[in-house]
Amino acid sequence: MFGGIISMRSWTSDKPAAPRPRGRALISLLAFVGLALMPAMATSPTSIFAPDSTPADSIYHLSRLVLGITGGIFVVVFGLLVFVIVKFRPAPDDNNSEPAQVYGSNRVELAWTIVPCLIVIVLFLATARVVHAVQDARRPPGAIEVTVVGHQFWWEFRYPGLGVVTANELHVPVSDPAKPTPTFIHLLSADTDHSFWVPRLAGKTDLIPNRQNEVWIDPHETGLFLGQCAQYCGIQHAKMLLRVYVDSREDFDRWVQAQAHPAQVSDAVAEGRRIFETTACINCHTVSGTVANGRFGPDLTHLMSRDTIASGIAPNTPAELREWVKNPDSLKPGSKMPAMQLNDHDLDAVTAYLASLR
């Protein structure tokens, strides 16, 4: 890159400058503005610049190092370009003669060979250290095990050791740094490539058919953390959202106990349950304690314990739930859930039944 600057100096000292594209300058300016605005981006709920978990914190510090080095390179190169453009711009008395050519400079050539090599080595070693720390982390006693299965276009969460199955909203306990209780997540795919990414908790990790990947998190604060599928997986990739609820240990234990219970049964919604169990709904969905044991769609046993439906794109209210059952394409075009063509009476009954699943 420095060789290009020296060549430009030789060429522009006596020869009229050719028109330079403004696009490159604009791109450089935008990149510089982006670097300047990064502190403000840290306030975003999905920002990598506000880590709240050990893996995310390691990635954050690595990203600062990389951005610092590349930002310094940008400033040096851009500054030299501006200097050359201004100092060696065409003079009024330019006679268009060929400037004296300069060939070879051992010092310059060594500099632009050794310095980039050293930069690459530093970045490689820093990255390797973070990759090793994240991927080879020890699993302490008491760690939570979760299996995540990516579907088009929703998330399935299984807790093998706790007997819990849920969808789209992952609950994990907060991890005390003095006594870490991390959550180790096994990533699988039921159809195509997906990518599990909650920026404030961990790096992006792909879910690939016929392969198991792993990621782990140890959130240091309670609260809601947002993410989504970060790998194009079909028409509704952008609406395959992800919510991670970090609970206190007591709240997490209560949530597990509630999720382990079978679905509540109420005579008030018996008609809706009958309609649900006599349609194709039971081929895709599971409701524990009933004949519904499908595996293609989300487990609905405790549907109303979730804040959202359709993988986070709509609030979980009776009105939104009714619209989702009536016409899934109205909320998520291209979703795999078919419209059952129920009349208004049956639709109201099924909605009332689903709204009772707590």
Side-chain angles (χ1 to χ4, degrees):
M1 55 187 172
F2 297 108
I5 295 173
I6 294 174
S7 299
M8 177 182 285
R9 173 175 177 173
S10 300
W11 188 78
T12 57
S13 58
D14 293 311
K15 192 171 182 178
R20 298 181 179 87
R22 297 181 179 179
R24 295 180 181 177
L26 179 60
I27 292 173
S28 299
L29 179 61
L30 292 176
F32 183 77
V33 172
L35 289 172
L37 292 179
M38 280 179 182
M41 293 164 58
T43 60
S44 169
T46 57
S47 173
I48 66 170
F49 298 103
D52 197 68
S53 179
T54 299
D57 192 59
S58 299
I59 295 171
Y60 165 69
H61 286 97
L62 176 62
S63 68
R64 288 188 59 180
L65 173 65
V66 174
L67 289 173
I69 292 175
T70 55
I73 294 173
F74 169 81
V75 170
V76 171
V77 173
F78 191 77
L80 290 174
L81 284 173
V82 172
F83 171 77
V84 169
I85 291 171
V86 173
K87 182 172 179 60
F88 300 102
R89 63 187 181 276
D93 58 347
D94 196 336
N95 60 8
N96 294 327
S97 62
E98 184 74 15
Q101 300 299 303
V102 178
Y103 298 99
S105 172
N106 290 336
R107 292 182 179 179
V108 172
E109 291 178 359
L110 285 173
W112 74 46
T113 301
I114 294 176
V115 171
C117 287
L118 291 177
I119 292 173
V120 170
I121 291 172
V122 169
L123 294 178
F124 170 78
L125 293 176
T127 303
R129 181 180 64 84
V130 171
V131 170
H132 172 72
V134 172
Q135 293 190 348
D136 298 330
R138 296 181 60 185
R139 189 168 307 188
I144 304 297
E145 301 279 347
V146 180
T147 297
V148 176
V149 183
H151 300 261
Q152 291 178 311
F153 302 94
W154 61 281
W155 302 96
E156 179 180 5
F157 301 124
R158 304 172 184 166
Y159 298 73
L162 303 175
V164 173
V165 178
T166 186
N168 299 320
E169 298 180 3
L170 177 65
H171 284 257
V172 299
V174 68
S175 181
D176 184 356
K179 188 179 180 181
T181 53
T183 299
F184 283 81
I185 303 172
H186 310 283
L187 301 172
L188 306 172
S189 174
D191 35 51
T192 186
D193 289 354
H194 301 281
S195 192
F196 185 92
W197 192 30
V198 186
R200 294 187 60 192
L201 298 182
K204 179 173 64 175
T205 307
D206 289 346
L207 293 78
I208 303 172
N210 302 316
R211 177 183 175 88
Q212 176 175 301
N213 285 335
E214 293 189 357
V215 68
W216 64 279
I217 58 177
D218 62 338
H220 301 149
E221 296 180 3
T222 60
L224 171 62
F225 297 86
L226 304 179
Q228 74 172 89
C229 178
Q231 174 73 28
Y232 182 74
C233 56
I235 188 173
Q236 284 303 319
H237 151 72
K239 290 185 177 179
M240 189 172 169
L241 307 181
L242 175 62
R243 299 164 74 88
V244 178
Y245 292 84
V246 179
D247 304 322
S248 66
R249 188 68 205 201
E250 295 76 14
D251 289 343
F252 177 75
D253 291 340
R254 282 193 291 268
W255 178 83
V256 170
Q257 292 176 2
Q259 294 291 313
H261 292 159
Q264 296 182 1
V265 179
S266 173
D267 293 338
V269 294
E271 182 180 9
R273 175 178 174 177
R274 177 187 60 79
I275 296 171
F276 179 86
E277 292 180 352
T278 55
T279 62
C281 299
I282 62 174
N283 294 331
C284 293
H285 297 286
T286 293
V287 178
S288 65
T290 73
V291 297
N293 60 355
R295 293 291 184 269
F296 297 104
D299 189 301
L300 302 180
T301 304
H302 299 287
L303 171 64
M304 298 311 292
S305 68
R306 304 167 197 162
D307 292 334
T308 61
I309 58 174
S311 194
I313 67 171
N316 191 7
T317 64
E320 294 288 353
L321 187 59
R322 186 182 191 278
E323 181 61 26
W324 176 243
V325 175
K326 178 182 179 181
N327 183 18
D329 279 354
S330 66
L331 296 178
K332 185 180 282 191
S335 66
K336 302 297 184 179
M337 178 173 168
M340 301 307 298
Q341 306 299 327
L342 301 175
N343 59 45
D344 287 344
H345 177 269
D346 290 351
L347 183 60
D348 290 338
V350 170
T351 303
Y353 169 64
L354 295 176
S356 71
L357 300 176
R358 301 181 180 276

